Amino acid sequence: MRALRPPVADGLLAAGSFVLGVGVASMLEVVDFDGERRVDLWAIVLLGAMSVPLLARRRRPILVVLLVLAISTPYHLLDYPHEATMPASLVAAFAAARHSEPHRRPIAALVAVAAVTVPVLADETSGALSDALLGVGWLLMAFFAGLAVRFRESWRGAVAARLEQERADEVERRVTEERVLIAAELHDVLAHGLAVANVQASVAAHLIDQLPDRGDASLKELSTTLHDLSDTSRATLHELRAVLDVLHGGDTEPTEPAPHLGELRRLVELAEAARVRVDLETTGLPDELPSTVSVVAYRIIQESLTNVVRHSEADHVCVRLARDGARLLVTVVDGGPARPGSMAAPDGFGIAGMTGRARAVGGELHAGPVTSGGFEVRASLPLPETWQAPT
């Protein structure tokens, strides 16, 4: 059910207070309650004037109480039915407790009590201590009801803020874990390339050292350069392992090689085992892809297919890989719809991880629902000409 807008709700509340006040005054006049003065046009005007300030009860709650007190004073002094002012007074007391600042609430409570006791006790002919105490009781009930509502709203706001912070912390934790995994996979790719370079440099230097004319200055310089290259690549490997060990918190680094697009058929078989048919389309792909890009593309497709199996009722997925100039385009589209009760969302953990992977290699990723009712993941990954997959 949609809540009313604040101005509309305040207007209806002010009108209801006025109507209820006039109704109470008319009823008391019919039963000749305490012989009070008959309700006339001036009484109706005063009751209406008491209801008008309620329109500002959210913005100026203390001022509203003061205005109700000021307008109700002549009403009571003229000995109109005193209980008719209670609707406006109760609303003013409730608003003062709910909308005023905490340090002003004691003032609001005193003013609300004065709104009943002062006018009634000032009238010597009709004022009675019992009537004043009864009115004070009602006002205090309204005041504490406003405090209860304010406390409930503050509590709900604090709980919502805490849940939002916990979700943000969880997202950050998942993203951090994903970055560590990306670092591990990049380490595997780079370590393989550096290991190959180290071996080739060492072999080349050894062969040069075995040549009959190895004393030639050019060959000596080349041998020295190759030995330096071998030492540098070996030192870099040790640094990579040290950095990865820090990221893993001292855990043993992974021993399995990072997956790549050459193993894409395994993902297709896993998805089809879950009764999701996968159409794989490749257009204009180069013979060799950069290892880092291949790993990132594989992980994006893997996460996308996992989301389809978990969160969609689709039985068909299209995976497209295409080259567009110096970029690799990866697209995964399912026909949907989303499974009822699914927690998948554009800002979920999996999509945050895929986005982080794409950005790690200088690419970008977009994910979201499509007009057909399904979901689409589109990634664009750069293919620098200087990047080559190690052999």
Side-chain angles (χ1 to χ4, degrees), residues 226-245:
L226 290 173
H227 280 296
D228 291 341
L229 176 60
S230 176
D231 294 339
T232 301
S233 59
R234 187 182 302 108
T236 303
L237 278 172
H238 287 301
E239 292 177 1
L240 278 174
R241 292 190 181 98
V243 172
L244 188 65
D245 187 64

Side-chain angles (χ1 to χ4, degrees), residues 182-195:
I182 293 172
E185 293 178 347
L186 289 178
H187 163 268
D188 292 341
V189 173
L190 294 175
H192 177 62
L194 288 173

